Amino acid sequence: AQSVTQLDSQVPVFEEAPVELRCNYSSSVSVYLFWYVQYPNQGLQLLLKYLSGSTLVKGINGFEAEFNKSQTSFHLRKPSVHISDTAEYFCAVTPLTGGGNKLTFGTGTQLKVEL
Amino acid sequence: SAVISQKPSRDICQRGTSLTIQCQVDSQVTMMFWYRQQPGQSLTLIATANQGSEATYESGFVIDKFPISRPNLTFSTLTVSNMSPEDSSIYLCSVVAGGMRAQYFGPGTRLTVT
């Protein structure tokens, strides 16, 4: 079984400042990792994914994440946030084999960008 | 990726009634999923819906409460039966598409049970 921990339930940040949203996971097998964003009153949008290869993954809207296998982390970063980045961010994992493509989600981090 | 639509987008229902949520995908997909997102919480998988077979339910979810149909490779329905206020949630469908193991989500159905 897998579990995902997002320690920060809320992250306030000023516009144009950098931000890091933390994600740690636990799994007895290798996993694929994802970050999703949920804007107010909308569904989930895929930000980026790590399947294999380079551990630094670039996604949409200027976000990137780095996979660290030894620390079982997949933190999301953006060097300069915009007011429009205000949303809920979810980290998720699925096992490489078996598991039926089921996603296990973290509890989410609310990013609030302030002027 | 895949473009997914859901109907209705929101509804307010009385307890004891049932609501059927539709999920339509713009391409043929093998695997579809139904999730529930309770207010202020993360997503919980209800079931996996594969065409031509019975849906597979996760622990805590039963077919009598959440019957699912999957008549073809582009469409599925989830029914929330005999609703109570505790069923007030966002219900989302998702699909695996593009051969890259990523799931793509519909916009969700916001259900309020009074």
Side-chain angles (χ1 to χ4, degrees):
Chain A
Q2 292 75 45
S3 67
V4 178
T5 301
Q6 293 180 247
L7 286 173
D8 305 307
S9 59
Q10 291 188 13
V11 173
V13 62
F14 288 109
E15 193 172 28
E16 298 184 4
V19 70
E20 179 179 82
L21 306 183
R22 296 181 293 169
C23 172
N24 288 86
Y25 69 93
S26 174
S27 177
S28 57
V29 299
S30 296
V31 295
Y32 294 128
L33 300 109
F34 307 88
W35 275 99
Y36 287 87
V37 59
Q38 186 176 35
Y39 298 103
N41 299 314
Q42 295 187 28
L44 270 70
Q45 181 179 6
L46 180 65
L47 263 182
L48 49 77
K49 57 185 179 289
Y50 175 77
L51 303 180
S52 64
S54 172
T55 57
L56 183 63
V57 181
K58 294 190 183 299
I60 62 172
N61 301 339
F63 283 93
E64 64 181 30
E66 185 156 19
F67 172 54
N68 187 318
K69 189 173 183 178
S70 63
Q71 297 186 6
T72 61
S73 68
F74 190 52
H75 300 333
L76 181 71
R77 303 186 184 99
K78 186 169 183 178
S80 175
V81 296
H82 189 268
I83 196 80
S84 61
D85 293 322
T86 295
E88 187 89 16
Y89 292 80
F90 293 96
C91 181
V93 302
T94 189
L96 261 67
T97 58
N101 282 298
K102 298 175 188 177
L103 283 174
T104 299
F105 283 89
T107 50
T109 297
Q110 176 68 43
L111 175 64
K112 185 173 182 181
V113 181
E114 302 168 351
L115 294 173
Chain B
S1 65
V3 177
I4 305 166
S5 60
Q6 285 185 234
K7 290 181 182 179
S9 59
R10 60 178 66 237
D11 208 340
I12 300 173
C13 301
Q14 291 192 343
R15 69 169 68 213
T17 63
S18 298
L19 176 71
T20 295
I21 302 167
Q22 299 179 8
C23 178
Q24 180 75 52
V25 189
D26 68 341
S27 58
Q28 294 186 339
V29 294
T30 302
M31 303 188 76
M32 294 181 77
F33 304 87
W34 286 98
Y35 289 84
R36 180 175 73 181
Q37 186 179 22
Q38 294 178 300
Q41 297 190 28
S42 187
L43 283 79
T44 302
L45 181 64
I46 298 172
T48 303
N50 294 323
Q51 194 267 340
S53 63
E54 293 277 336
T56 303
Y57 290 83
E58 297 299 302
S59 175
F61 297 96
V62 295
I63 188 171
D64 289 347
K65 175 68 175 177
F66 297 101
I68 288 171
S69 77
R70 182 79 198 275
N72 57 53
L73 292 175
T74 63
F75 187 79
S76 178
T77 66
L78 168 76
T79 298
V80 186
S81 303
N82 188 25
M83 289 184 285
S84 67
E86 291 70 35
D87 293 321
S88 296
S89 297
I90 302 171
Y91 292 87
L92 301 104
C93 67
S94 73
V95 303
V96 176
M100 296 298 287
R101 299 292 297 273
Q103 285 189 30
Y104 297 89
F105 285 80
T109 295
R110 283 156 181 76
L111 172 61
T112 302
V113 184
T114 61

